[in-house]
Amino acid sequence: MVVIGGGPGGYVAAIKASQLGLKTACVEKRGSLGGTCTNVGCIPSKALLNNSHIYHQTIHDLKSRGIDVENVNLNLPNMMKAKEKAVAGLARGIEGLFRKYGVTYIKGHGKFVGTNKIEIDELDGKKTTVQAKDIIIATGSEPAPFKGLEVDEKQIVTSTGALSLEKVPEKLVVIGGGIIGLELGSVWHRLGSEVTVVEYLSSIDPDHFDINENHLHCLTDSKSLLKILQKQGLKFKLDTKVIDASKKDGRVLVNVEPSKGGNRETVCIFDFPKSLALLLESDVVLVSIGRRPYTENLGLENVGIDVDEKGRIKIDSQFRTSKPNIRCIGDVTYGAMLAHKAEEEGVAAVEYIVGGYGHVNYDVIPSVIYTHPEVAWCGKTEEEVKETKRPYRVGTFPFLANSRARTNDDAEGFVKMISDQETDAILGVHIIGPNAGEMIGEAVLAMEYGASSEDIARTCHAHPTLSEALKEAALATYSKSINF
Ligand code: FAD
Ligand code: NAI
């Protein structure tokens, strides 16, 4: 078997295939394994999020904790080096795993020249052709371009450039208040930039995160991620669309207007000047308006593999493309663009090839936004459950009532659990709070096993831990919360 693409989808598929007895090769053109995630995505962004948080906390938060520090300086080159160390170590680790599991790593660009044949332009200049009975496409995604805005990765940057800026921009305009905009906007805001996020929609709260915490009776003012980030100092221009941007005197001028048609009311609400359009001045502009499937020069047309109108490779429920021996997984096909989703698909696609059966439970794929506090969710929102017309219950618990969060003086946010009123099965869990990304794991496991809210409520949780908030939210689904 040959896997094209060595990202989280591709490298995991290759290891799995080798473990299950297939002679396997993985073709990767980047010169480094781990794909977008390890090289210019999950890993470098989390390194910067972690270290920028420590820096910000050191400046703003240590005094009240009884720690006096003086002369705190940001050493951006060293922060970047720490990021690069994490990336390089993890990418090398995957090469080690390939050696351990006997996967042949071919460094180069792969292109279909037949349904069983791939031509590879190797990085060292050689051209080779490999034959395979089965092929998995895992070529991932790339930043969606903004029409008319030429990315130079210095002043007008995608996430890739925003992970490697040489100095902290005085002003950063972020186009798109999605996950990349919020995470990388947070990084640069913490390091000292004045960050303005321009978002087309009325909200930055992601589609499947349930922000409605009416059940909380006002013990907390952390009503939404938007309010929390605004309190931290990030600026937002919602209902606003970027028209264009241009460079002038070393700065970038970003032209924006209200997205709902520009009538005067909208203009007033969002503090626009009298003219409908507004110029935002910035040193750096981050374009983060989504990602699109990457199939450049893959030779899909040579073998007749179909893509949809968004460029996603069409697949059936067994990850088969229009050519049944060629399967496809991860960002380049349907579904959430998440590393762990790509990994699950990699394993399932290989299991289909080897044993005829594989499975991904798309109902329990967790999502996490690594801001501070983090946002994490899994399963359905209350609105989605409502639409199914099944009776349900909701339990919420604020971190202000959680002893560990209070001890840590880090108590913004809440846990919300939605359960089926008749069966008590957990239908969705939504968390804004410290370590939400780790905590959601317990909810995901519970849902994977079909647990009830009472199962979590009756499970002993260590004290004092943040995870007790999940137990309390479970208790709250049947109005038996102890600590709130
Ligand atoms: P990719 O990781 O994109 O890998 C595809 C690989 O294929 C690439 O290395 C590419 O070089 C190679 N390739 C493409 N074409 C060819 C060819 N013809 N021949 C040879 N090689 C080829 N997801 C999360 O779950 N958590 C996060 O915290 C997170 N953070 C992110 C932060 C940022 C800034 C970005 C941009 C993304 C983030 N993501 C995160 C998304 C995550 O990176 C992707 O969902 C994931 O990498 C998709 O994996 P993949 O294997 O499908 O594709
Ligand atoms: P996104 O789809 O999450 O958000 C893009 C935002 O840009 C949307 O809210 C959209 O309304 C807005 N937008 C589009 N055009 C606009 C315009 N002209 N003016 C103003 N706003 C505009 O895309 P993003 O943030 O680029 O991330 C891509 C993907 O990468 C994510 O969807 C996610 O799958 C993945 N990712 C995951 C992370 C995680 O799991 N923690 C972290 C970072 C990325």
Side-chain angles (χ1 to χ4, degrees), residues 46 146 175-181 183 198-201 240-242 288-291 336-338 368-370:
K46 267 80 249 178
F146 190 102
I175 309 178
I179 309 192
I180 291 182
E183 289 189 355
V198 184
E199 169 55 49
Y200 188 86
L201 303 174
T240 306
K241 81 173 171 218
V242 172
S288 50
I289 55 167
R291 294 181 61 82
M337 288 187 171
L338 295 173
V368 182
I369 306 178
Y370 295 86

Side-chain angles (χ1 to χ4, degrees), residues 84 95 188 300 434 483:
E84 281 145 24
E95 282 195 45
W188 292 107
L300 293 182
N483 284 292

Side-chain angles (χ1 to χ4, degrees), residues 36 41-42 45-46 49 141-144 146 159 174-184 197-206 237 239-243 256-257 259 287-292 331 335-340 366-371 375 377:
T36 303
C42 328
S45 61
K46 267 80 249 178
L49 277 157
S141 60
E142 63 178 351
F146 190 102
S159 52
V174 177
I175 309 178
I179 309 192
I180 291 182
L182 300 182
E183 289 189 355
L184 295 181
V197 179
V198 184
E199 169 55 49
Y200 188 86
L201 303 174
S202 325
S203 158
I204 57 154
D205 296 313
K237 294 216 165 282
D239 281 321
T240 306
K241 81 173 171 218
V242 172
I243 311 160
V256 300
E257 69 178 20
S259 51
V287 183
S288 50
I289 55 167
R291 294 181 61 82
R292 65 179 186 187
D331 280 13
M337 288 187 171
L338 295 173
H340 41 280
S367 293
V368 182
I369 306 178
Y370 295 86
T371 44
V375 184
W377 66 98

Side-chain angles (χ1 to χ4, degrees), residues 65-357:
R65 295 173 186 275
I67 307 165
D68 290 337
V69 287
E70 281 169 14
N71 299 326
V72 179
N73 292 310
L74 172 67
N75 187 328
L76 189 61
N78 279 355
M79 196 178 275
M80 290 296 170
K81 271 189 203 144
K83 172 204 75 173
E84 281 145 24
K85 187 173 158 211
V87 168
L90 286 164
R92 269 199 314 273
I94 302 169
E95 282 195 45
L97 291 172
F98 273 11
R99 282 192 294 276
K100 178 174 174 189
Y101 291 108
V103 175
T104 304
Y105 172 23
I106 307 174
K107 295 183 186 175
H109 180 102
K111 179 180 182 175
F112 285 101
V113 287
T115 46
N116 299 94
K117 217 188 249 183
I118 297 158
E119 187 181 86
I120 301 161
D121 279 327
E122 292 193 40
L123 295 184
D124 62 10
K126 271 193 291 189
K127 221 180 193 76
T128 42
T129 306
V130 290
Q131 296 262 11
K133 182 166 175 280
D134 290 284
I135 296 168
I136 293 183
I137 303 172
T139 51
S141 60
E142 63 178 351
F146 190 102
K147 220 172 158 213
L149 216 60
E150 202 172 317
V151 167
D152 57 19
E153 296 297 14
K154 295 261 180 244
Q155 267 200 304
I156 300 181
V157 299
T158 65
S159 52
T160 302
L163 289 165
S164 296
L165 296 179
E166 281 165 13
K167 63 178 192 161
V168 179
E170 199 186 313
K171 290 186 180 194
L172 172 71
V173 168
V174 177
I175 309 178
I179 309 192
I180 291 182
L182 300 182
E183 289 189 355
L184 295 181
S186 290
V187 164
W188 292 107
H189 168 69
R190 291 167 190 172
L191 298 181
S193 290
E194 186 187 315
V195 175
T196 306
V197 179
V198 184
E199 169 55 49
Y200 188 86
L201 303 174
S202 325
S203 158
I204 57 154
D205 296 313
D207 271 358
H208 295 286
F209 181 73
D210 194 332
I211 214 63
N212 170 8
E213 33 66 282
N214 292 335
H215 307 262
L216 269 187
H217 312 299
C218 79
L219 222 195
T220 165
D221 66 350
S222 55
K223 288 214 168 43
S224 72
L225 183 59
L226 175 67
K227 289 203 172 144
I228 292 173
L229 295 179
Q230 276 174 330
K231 210 166 77 188
Q232 289 174 9
L234 279 95
K235 293 183 179 157
F236 289 90
K237 294 216 165 282
L238 302 179
D239 281 321
T240 306
K241 81 173 171 218
V242 172
I243 311 160
D244 57 39
S246 54
K247 290 185 198 168
K248 198 175 173 211
D249 304 330
R251 314 204 86 187
V252 189
L253 302 178
V254 184
N255 215 346
V256 300
E257 69 178 20
S259 51
K260 287 179 181 164
N263 65 54
R264 285 289 155 107
E265 263 176 14
T266 315
V267 170
C268 294
I269 292 168
F270 292 100
D271 217 16
F272 284 99
K274 292 241 161 21
S275 66
L276 283 186
L278 168 76
L279 281 179
L280 293 174
E281 232 184 319
S282 67
D283 307 285
V284 174
V285 172
L286 164 60
V287 183
S288 50
I289 55 167
R291 294 181 61 82
R292 65 179 186 187
Y294 181 79
T295 54
E296 202 177 303
N297 198 21
L298 185 55
L300 293 182
E301 64 290 350
N302 297 340
V303 283
I305 289 178
D306 301 331
V307 299
D308 73 2
E309 70 292 346
K310 291 187 173 163
R312 294 175 295 200
I313 293 180
K314 287 188 184 174
I315 51 169
D316 67 10
S317 60
Q318 298 185 15
F319 308 102
R320 283 178 302 211
T321 65
S322 37
K323 295 288 169 258
N325 72 311
I326 303 172
R327 298 185 197 235
C328 178
I329 57 164
D331 280 13
V332 70
T333 185
Y334 300 99
M337 288 187 171
L338 295 173
H340 41 280
K341 174 262 191 190
E343 290 175 23
E344 294 304 310
E345 291 185 340
V347 170
V350 169
E351 286 176 341
Y352 270 119
I353 291 168
V354 176
Y357 183 76

